[in-house]
Amino acid sequence: MNKSTAAMTSPQQGRTFYRTMVLRRQVILLGLLGALFLSFCVDLALGPARYELTEVLSALLTPGSVSEQISVIVWQIRMPVALMAIVVGASLSIAGAQMQTILSNPLASPFTLGISAGAGFGAALALAFGVSIVPFAVDYIVPINAFLVAMLTALMIHLLSMRRGVTIETIVLLGIAMVFIFNALMALIQFFASQQALSAVVFWTMGSLTKATWPKVWVSLAVLAIAIPLLARHGWALTAMRLGDAKAESMGVRPRRLRLQVLMLVSLLASVSVAFVGTIGFIGLVGPHIARMLVGEDQRFFLPASALCGALILSVGSVISKMLIPGTVIPIGIITSLVGIPFFLFLVLNQKKSIW
Amino acid sequence: MKDIPTFGGFKDGTFDVEQAASLKPDVVFMNIEAQTATEDAGYEDKLAALGIPIVYVDFREDPIKDTPASIRLMGRLLDKENEAERFINFSNQQMARVTDVIEQADPERPRVFIDRAGGYSDDCCMSFGPHNFGDYVRIAGGQNIADDIIPNTFGTLNPEQIIASNPQQVVVTGGDWEAYVPGGAWVGVGPGADMTEARRKLEALTHRTAMTGIDAVKHDRVHAIWHQFYNSPYYFVAIQQLAKWFHPDLFKDLDPDATLRELHERFLPLTYQPGYWVSLEAEDE
């Protein structure tokens, strides 16, 4: 997009232009980071137990000096939720960003490929019938089931995609087929489930951060910490993938292998997130698109911007979901969609250049 | 019992009107929740064409208000009007044993948290708004902390809200959910329950984050009661037991266990099996 302008000017001007562009993108990243930090602080400061800011601060800085109740509220209830919002938002958004990249499809996300639907089905099996896929770790059967089914889905899509004549468009279609299969299986579970289990399943499918606990935060954070450097290492190759397989191959990228590696990695990211907090739909689709509008396709900026956008949307959603009716928690999936989609539409309709 | 055919639910659209018609019933009873879906599907007209009326009853949406009318209606249709009236009278008498005392003494109302199906999932905490168990708590002389928070009958509380409200009494609803959540943290109260086990699991629930430092846990005012009272014409037994927990001094002589036993002996073909509730405070007595 900017290459043509740069080509018509002298090398000196080009260099200046490039430096300004990089600087502008760095400023955008810093701005996102600042907004995220602000949202995180608000998430910690607000809650139905109306503590003063100073009380929350002292609970954070000197946990020994405050009453047990306030320290439990800040450290065991608000903190895991606030962190989980950021980690899950970033994970889902990165997962969506890289799926869009490797499949060259603006509609790709953990949801359109059936990975989230698979996780939802696994969780529903556990919630409605107590069916565990692995015989141990009974306390964690819901997330473990969700994770296993999601990974199986990703593997199945991969195996099918290995067949001769399967193109990336076919992969997206396979994913959509998966979504419908799992939705039907889910409906079948709801058909047989008890009233009590049904409400648990429904609540789970709407997504909720209130299930966040410290161990879950650590696991999700660990997965994110493993995935980001691995993806960043392939940054240039992934940027090249956006030019099409043939061009990428001419630059020394091996598209099929890269696609498999990235697919497995993002499945891991998405399924762990979905396993812990339920299905929070739209982050994986919209986070990366907002990031792309802000900083473009270059993975050096696109990857961190996607992570920050996703984290920011979910963090703001978390604040709204608990403030709308104080004392109760509106499932965050509803909030992120209701708040995020108008914002997304605003960006899309006001975009001057083509976004894909 | 196993020869009785089973039906799909109406809410999820699995009621089979053909099956219903082929069994040639004299009348079809439906829960009031299914009314919209039933009318929507035009089943009222379809069954009416076969001369089968649909009758809506309610024991769940607003049990206090609708149960007597529902029982009376069923009594009339089943030609057991006297039994229905006797049951309603019994229910009213048993209710009065609580309402009269509360009205007269007008005691201070303890703050109550109803932990709906506590331990069923690790998500905390499902509760009741101002209806159903919310009604029961109010009638029994308590104040439901979720009254102003949950707009309808069912809802979920922010765990932080429970610590902030600092309830003086916690009532967990429970039942034997082994078939749904094997080995789950739910409290398996109900007919013939293992009380030692139920008590152990109730105690375990008090260690959840949302229960940190609340008065109810400090003073062992944590109780569990059969969840199905939320959907049962025997709700007055639950109200008696709640009243006894909230105001032990006022209701020293009230014996909900005897009420439930009498109900079985007078109205049910089943033998009474205790085990419908358990409390942590029992240890002190």
Side-chain angles (χ1 to χ4, degrees):
Chain A
M1 46 195 162
N2 291 316
K3 268 178 229 127
S4 52
T5 355
M8 282 183 285
T9 50
S10 71
Q12 181 56 43
Q13 275 172 310
R15 229 171 276 136
T16 325
F17 180 81
Y18 179 76
R19 286 207 186 102
T20 334
M21 187 185 76
V22 168
L23 188 70
R24 194 178 63 85
R25 291 178 179 177
Q26 282 167 342
V27 169
I28 289 175
L29 286 184
L30 271 179
L32 284 173
L33 195 63
L36 181 60
F37 181 71
L38 194 69
S39 166
F40 175 68
C41 291
V42 174
D43 207 0
L44 282 184
L46 293 179
R50 299 177 188 285
Y51 293 121
E52 297 294 324
L53 210 54
T54 49
E55 286 177 287
V56 176
L57 267 180
S58 48
L60 284 175
L61 301 174
T62 51
S65 70
V66 291
S67 73
E68 192 200 3
Q69 297 206 340
I70 178 163
S71 108
V72 163
I73 284 182
V74 172
W75 284 99
Q76 301 298 326
I77 295 179
R78 290 185 189 175
M79 187 66 99
V81 170
L83 286 177
M84 202 68 176
I86 291 177
V87 175
V88 166
S91 301
L92 287 175
S93 188
I94 289 179
Q98 302 306 19
M99 283 189 176
Q100 290 169 8
T101 304
I102 57 172
L103 298 176
S104 296
N105 191 315
L107 290 176
S109 84
F111 285 78
T112 35
L113 281 196
I115 288 166
S116 302
F121 170 68
L125 267 186
L127 286 169
F129 307 119
V131 174
S132 176
I133 297 176
V134 288
F136 48 86
V138 175
D139 287 349
Y140 284 96
I141 64 168
V142 175
I144 288 178
N145 270 12
F147 174 69
L148 288 178
V149 180
M151 285 309 273
L152 280 179
T153 314
L155 267 178
M156 201 138 84
I157 290 178
H158 172 64
L159 289 178
L160 290 171
S161 74
M162 298 279 275
R163 292 166 62 102
R164 252 162 49 88
V166 171
T167 61
I168 43 182
E169 287 80 13
T170 329
I171 298 182
V172 176
L173 282 176
L174 284 174
I176 290 172
M178 292 288 173
V179 173
F180 283 110
I181 291 174
F182 283 123
N183 283 351
L185 287 172
M186 191 82 143
L188 201 62
I189 287 184
Q190 299 192 353
F191 177 88
F192 287 114
S194 73
Q195 185 71 39
Q196 203 59 44
L198 196 62
S199 59
V201 171
V202 169
F203 198 73
W204 200 87
T205 54
M206 289 195 281
S208 160
L209 289 171
T210 57
K211 285 179 276 233
T213 57
W214 279 108
K216 293 178 184 172
V217 171
W218 292 130
V219 172
S220 325
L221 195 62
V223 171
L224 190 62
I226 294 168
I228 288 181
L230 287 178
L231 289 170
R233 201 163 61 92
H234 291 301
W236 290 112
L238 284 165
T239 310
M241 287 280 275
R242 283 291 288 116
L243 300 170
D245 279 12
K247 280 193 182 136
E249 221 160 351
S250 74
M251 294 180 197
V253 178
R254 294 166 69 179
R256 286 188 90 103
R257 214 179 75 170
L258 184 61
R259 197 168 282 136
L260 168 65
Q261 287 173 345
V262 173
L263 186 65
M264 286 295 119
L265 214 48
V266 296
S267 301
L268 182 71
L269 274 177
S271 62
V272 166
S273 301
V274 174
F276 285 153
V277 301
T279 42
I280 299 175
F282 117 118
I283 305 269
L285 184 65
V286 168
H289 279 298
I290 295 177
R292 194 174 287 113
M293 287 179 223
L294 291 173
V295 301
E297 285 286 355
D298 184 345
Q299 287 272 334
R300 286 177 302 162
F301 304 104
F302 180 48
L303 181 67
S306 296
L308 288 172
C309 284
L312 183 61
I313 296 171
L314 206 53
S315 183
V316 170
S318 161
V319 173
I320 297 175
S321 76
K322 65 180 179 184
M323 293 323 289
L324 220 53
I325 305 177
T328 174
V329 185
I330 296 179
I332 184 130
I334 301 177
I335 304 293
T336 49
S337 296
L338 285 182
V339 177
I341 287 182
F343 177 65
F344 178 59
L345 285 178
F346 169 81
L347 282 182
V348 169
L349 296 175
N350 282 285
Q351 191 70 14
K352 294 197 181 58
K353 55 181 188 257
S354 148
I355 56 160
W356 182 261
Chain B
M1 282 251 274
K2 67 177 191 305
D3 297 331
I4 299 176
T6 52
F7 286 90
F10 222 114
K11 255 184 170 171
D12 45 4
T14 55
F15 176 79
D16 185 349
V17 71
E18 195 175 314
Q19 183 197 12
S22 69
L23 290 165
K24 298 201 181 67
D26 295 314
V27 61
V28 173
F29 286 109
M30 293 255 187
N31 279 329
I32 197 94
E33 298 101 279
Q35 188 173 10
T36 319
T38 313
E39 285 169 357
D40 203 38
Y43 286 169
E44 282 187 355
D45 297 339
K46 285 178 193 162
L47 288 174
L50 293 166
I52 304 168
I54 297 183
V55 171
Y56 297 102
V57 290
D58 176 37
F59 298 101
R60 179 172 182 268
E61 295 285 297
D62 195 350
I64 305 278
K65 194 170 122 282
D66 293 345
T67 297
S70 298
I71 297 264
R72 196 166 281 140
L73 194 62
M74 292 179 99
R76 254 170 56 200
L77 290 165
L78 300 173
D79 210 13
K80 296 214 189 281
E81 284 180 277
N82 289 335
E83 279 91 335
E85 286 311 317
R86 278 203 301 132
F87 181 83
I88 294 167
N89 285 339
F90 179 69
S91 171
N92 289 343
Q93 280 162 19
Q94 296 300 334
M95 284 290 278
R97 294 176 71 186
V98 174
T99 49
D100 288 356
V101 175
I102 295 288
E103 196 175 324
Q104 211 191 347
D106 192 20
E108 198 176 322
R109 290 174 173 264
R111 295 182 302 276
V112 182
F113 165 52
I114 313 159
D115 193 355
R116 174 158 60 96
Y120 185 89
S121 76
D122 57 353
D123 204 14
C124 184
C125 295
M126 294 190 288
S127 190
F128 288 95
H131 305 301
N132 204 300
F133 256 92
D135 279 322
Y136 305 173
V137 163
R138 188 173 51 258
I139 293 167
Q143 196 215 326
N144 174 15
I145 61 166
D147 254 2
D148 309 323
I149 298 170
I150 295 174
N152 271 310
T153 308
F154 305 101
T156 302
L157 280 182
N158 185 336
E160 183 178 332
Q161 180 64 44
I162 295 155
I163 299 183
S165 300
N166 191 16
Q168 294 151 306
Q169 303 266 351
V170 170
V171 178
V172 179
T173 72
D176 182 358
W177 286 310
E178 187 62 32
Y180 303 114
V181 188
W186 39 264
V187 184
V189 283
D194 174 350
M195 296 318 267
T196 326
E197 176 66 0
R199 199 169 182 292
R200 186 187 66 75
K201 286 171 97 172
L202 179 59
E203 206 277 331
L205 286 181
T206 62
H207 298 296
R208 287 174 301 171
T209 312
M211 302 271 160
T212 309
I214 59 174
D215 282 352
V217 172
K218 272 189 213 148
H219 302 116
D220 284 338
R221 301 278 184 264
V222 181
H223 328 283
I225 195 158
W226 193 45
H227 180 74
Q228 302 305 330
F229 278 123
Y230 92 109
N231 185 16
S232 154
Y234 318 149
Y235 58 83
F236 53 89
V237 183
I239 291 174
Q240 288 190 349
Q241 185 57 47
L242 292 177
K244 209 172 159 65
W245 280 329
F246 300 163
H247 304 287
D249 297 337
L250 288 176
F251 294 102
K252 262 200 200 77
D253 304 328
L254 188 63
D255 186 354
D257 198 53
T259 309
L260 196 50
R261 184 180 299 277
E262 191 184 340
L263 185 147
H264 276 71
E265 282 163 4
R266 285 180 58 187
F267 300 101
L268 299 179
L270 305 166
T271 347
Y272 175 53
Q273 287 182 293
Y276 287 82
W277 49 76
V278 68
S279 170
L280 290 188
E281 64 187 352
E283 218 171 51
D284 318 334
E285 283 168 15

